[in-house]
Amino acid sequence: MSLERFFNPKSVAIVGASRQPGKVGYEILTNIVDAGYKGGIFPVNPKTDKIGRLKCYRDLASIGEIPELVIVVIPAGFVPEVMNQCAKIGVKAVVIITAGFKEVSEQGRQLEQKVAQIAKQAGIRVIGPNCLGVVATTNKLNASFGGELPKEGSIGYLSQSGALLAAILDMANANGIGFSKLVSIGNKADVDELDVIESLGRDTDTKVIAGYLESISNGGDFVRQAERISQTKPIILMKSGSTGAGAKAASSHTGSLTGSETAYECVFGRAGIIRCNSIKAQFDFAQALANQPLPKGPAVAVITNAGGPGIMAADAIEQQGLVFAKLADETISKLTAKLPSAANVQNPIDVLGDALADRYEFALDVVLDDPNVDTVLVLLTPQAMTASAATAEAIVKVTSQKTKKPVLACFLGAGKVQDGINILQKGIIPQYDSPESAVNTIKAITDYVRWRNRPKRIIKLFAVNRRKVQNVIERHLRTQSHQIGEAESKEILEAYGFVTPKGSIATTAEQAASIAEQLGYPVVLKIWSPDILHKSDVGGVKLGIRTAQEVKDAFDLMMYRIPTKIPNADILGVLVQQMCQKGKEVILGMHRDPHFGPLMMFGMGGTMVEVLKDVSFYLAPITSDEAKQMLVSTKTYKMLQGVRGEEGVDIDAISEGLQRLSQLVTEFPQIQEMDINPFVVGPEGTTPIAVDARISVQQT
Amino acid sequence: MSLERFFNPKSVAIVGASRQPGKVGYEILTNIVDAGYKGGIFPVNPKTDKIGRLKCYRDLASIGEIPELVIVVIPAGFVPEVMNQCAKIGVKAVVIITAGFKEVSEQGRQLEQKVAQIAKQAGIRVIGPNCLGVVATTNKLNASFGGELPKEGSIGYLSQSGALLAAILDMANANGIGFSKLVSIGNKADVDELDVIESLGRDTDTKVIAGYLESISNGGDFVRQAERISQTKPIILMKSGSTGAGAKAASSHTGSLTGSETAYECVFGRAGIIRCNSIKAQFDFAQALANQPLPKGPAVAVITNAGGPGIMAADAIEQQGLVFAKLADETISKLTAKLPSAANVQNPIDVLGDALADRYEFALDVVLDDPNVDTVLVLLTPQAMTASAATAEAIVKVTSQKTKKPVLACFLGAGKVQDGINILQKGIIPQYDSPESAVNTIKAITDYVRWRNRPKRIIKLFAVNRRKVQNVIERHLRTQSHQIGEAESKEILEAYGFVTPKGSIATTAEQAASIAEQLGYPVVLKIWSPDILHKSDVGGVKLGIRTAQEVKDAFDLMMYRIPTKIPNADILGVLVQQMCQKGKEVILGMHRDPHFGPLMMFGMGGTMVEVLKDVSFYLAPITSDEAKQMLVSTKTYKMLQGVRGEEGVDIDAISEGLQRLSQLVTEFPQIQEMDINPFVVGPEGTTPIAVDARISVQQT
């Protein structure tokens, strides 16, 4: 849907307009009038005939025409009635500023539901309630009580916190930052973050979408649409309420469900959303993305008039995993020919403390031509000779001639460099308050570019036995048993092409020994009980057994000891299993997020996984590239490649395992959680073995 | 030594004073005069009689009295002559502003050495060369060309980068931040960072020491003195040139050696120095430390008038590992009784969007009394009703009455909250531009407090056989063999109380088998050659051998294969060794930093250590607490405690091993690097085994 009617209405009615300064109904009306809105403005308030020079109407019907946008600022209890009036006269867009709904009480939640229902039946789109309003700078519409109309610009902003939006507007106005649209989404009774993002995605005035969110309403759609929009227009989000403490505060505040941190990391990663955790970082990123071209790669060159800040920038570049550009020989020759001999002609290029604008201009011009440089960061400190304004002009001039690479500036200081900073801002060169902030921005943008250039996503489909898995799962759900036991877990794994170790269940020590003899040594014994999930915790696993006598001993010890530890466990016997001697143990897993669906996990296997937490996550279904990326992003990966003379393992086989698991959990939404642990993988060309698995299912 | 003469001289001579605006000699003279310095001011320049209203002297001698401080701004080549004049007339303090010394060329380095020599012989203390000068606000001395005299304040600042200091001064002046002293230390020909830090440590005008460093001149002294000073006065340092890229830039720029990142982390950790990596963070920290009391613990309460920023603060508190304070029942009752019913009376306390100053005042007053709260963070967003100035006044009032706990503020926005921010700054309530910045500050201060309260450092001394180690090391150094072989490494370990595995060297397969029979199976075979350091890389280690036949096979395979891999290796035989079956493998290590001495290392053992990098470092000698802390700060620690039914290992035994190693490397500075890997440690009460060791030595 389009929010065009909210951003560019022919007329606006303000229900609850007031002549009393300080009241929200006054502030909003004043803001609309003061911003220079050109459409019809209709204050509605039965208690007065006129507000300022505007005629005031007793209700919506008496206006005599249908206002395209209605702003509601009357107390919560009266809102349903106004919605009914809107429905009656045919209003299609309503912004409900009023608070006192879902965010305060159960009663408020019901009231909000009622409002939403009326809107739905009448085909009215609603922004809010409990919001700050809507701003569209190009149309000079300031239907908000967030402050005066900001400068026109290319950042579109949405916020789930009205108060934060007010602070952002205040900061932006003070720093001359411009916006295209601003939307306070409040309780999201109808229009939610995705509606706004989609609308800003289509909006030609908006180059960058930025916002603050506490929750995401529709996980699946959000991922798909955000991924599509990010491909051409960057989305920069602050998402709070992510950690335990934060999430607790979120639920007590907005009553909306918040997803787990991992899920959001996965979603943002998949959809190419640039995440940041402060307003400052968000504007740092947005200004560069809105005003500068995207870099081709990660190589950064630094031009400075002082060593210290140059070193700080170099440190930050290294710490962020960017590339400290190695200048081409030709660049170095050119710099050497014209700069003073004491200048440093290697990166960071030091044009020296007495540099005027000409040296900066020359160096920037030369460095922008260097094929080894993707982004240029220009640092300036206010020294005795420094010409901050002229230098800023020179930077703007060169950058406007050579527009292929991004140029960022960091004029350090305040009063003495303010003239220069003003010129940079007018010349749309983003200016940063420290080398670190500038480098963090370059990092965020470089990651975004890498995401944009990612290979096309192709999900491989393996030939599997779906029916078999369906049967197992349905049988479990019928009997309300949500944990699938080891034997049937293996059936499921085998149906999806995993190889599992051979073995059988023994009920006597002698039987165990005879199974072991048939399998060949070494074998492993595992207690066999539907009631024992973590077998090793109770001494229910014995590895590396090499003789029949050892088998019998281990069998009897388990049978003797375990019932004393878990008296009520129903012990069906002991599994005697072939032991995988060679290879490395990894874990392949899945956790189904209630909002965003299956999150795939990869990590080092065995008991270590819980200690080292060296794991990676990705949203299913995954491609072969993404599976590989999951491996690479762990430290375990290096170990899998082989260290210190050890042979590496078959990386592609793990990647295939992840893709098969991804297919399984995508095709069976009943699977809530699943671990294949250990998944034992050997040298290239060998078949990995899914040794053990835990699967839990639930009715969907 | 004291730098009193630099900060509070009775008279100042400026050699190279100039009447030409723009020249450094003019700027400095003007700055001294304009700041209102009360002592004698003597411009020295043979080319003129008068500068402004001041008499100008042809040389130092013709002044007729001995200036207490001489500022030198003439070209580098003339500086030695001026130093000689200073020596002759008895000047004791000189600031050399002039650049063109060590930082530009070998010739410059020699010139600098000459200057230092003259100074040393005459007992003159020198700041610089290549620096910005010295500022002492209380004495109205601005002997610098960094800009106008800043406000008086309690932050003492030192910088190795003059340009950065200029930027810092400019920023501080624009934001009303005050200083006690500022020193630009330049090339540190004489006075270095430690001299300044010690001097600021004694300075009663200075409450917080802050600075920017690229290198540290005297590692050992620095650690000792900084640790002593930090105990009563916080030191906040930016240290750059730490990473590879940064360090490269540093060496190409200042010609000074920079230490490795790890060493600095250790030094700062040991000495309680608060590290930060941006100017902004430094002032964020300094303002709180200079103006607010130290918190007793990590519990933070948040008061806000909007949910969003409250959640952001809660997230940051959780992410930083601080404690989100759980309010006492009494506090909740009090808040419930007076705040509106829609307010959130749990942490974060939401006084609601329509809160005026009275609600903030009440909530802050109540929360400061809560015994569960150590620090209070007050957030404010500019909403329709918000009274920013009155709220700031209320915060200042309550905080000045209840002075035991730190209060930080974060008024979000700009124009609309500026009045409030000004009042906070006057009332010395630190104000932050985002909840994150405020929480980062609380984190830094809380860590500092924890360091201040650390237990007394007592180094345990074990009874050891020093003589034996001395003999081994001396023998190696005599023969220029810097790597100590396995056998003698074990002698060293045993001399310091480590237990090593039994074993002997075999030169034939039969001999190997017979040694194995005597030791008992399983055994391990290791190739025995002074030329092979990483045995497993060449297939020179075979573990878990259980029969005589396997011993012979392994022996012959090594003898056949290894010479083809390393043709020139001198193979002396194969070590047949008892194998430690039980227990976990860890690594105890030491790397000697050229500046700061031995850095102890602990981590997971075996080949995994290089992959997982789960290691911790600490500066030797270490206490038992510090050894324990090294363990706790790794993820490996949890594994050592025992996971999933596994028994834990003897933690104290590892701690003792680290302390013994610490004693060894402290007593033998010839040991350059050392690994005990694996150090196999079993359940509590068992003796750990130092299975293998690498030791390298060098003449000191």
Side-chain angles (χ1 to χ4, degrees), chain A residues 170 241 277 315 414 436 534 644, chain B residues 170 241 246 277 315 414 436 534 644:
Chain A
D170 194 23
N277 49 28
D315 278 353
E436 294 74 27
H534 296 285
R644 308 292 301 278
Chain B
D170 194 24
N277 50 27
D315 279 353
E436 294 74 26
H534 295 285
R644 308 291 303 278

Side-chain angles (χ1 to χ4, degrees), chain B residues 468-476 484 488 491-492:
Chain B
K468 193 169 183 181
V469 176
Q470 186 130 21
N471 289 342
V472 173
I473 290 177
E474 276 171 5
R475 195 161 58 241
H476 274 78
I484 298 185
E488 284 176 308
E491 267 185 54
I492 291 177

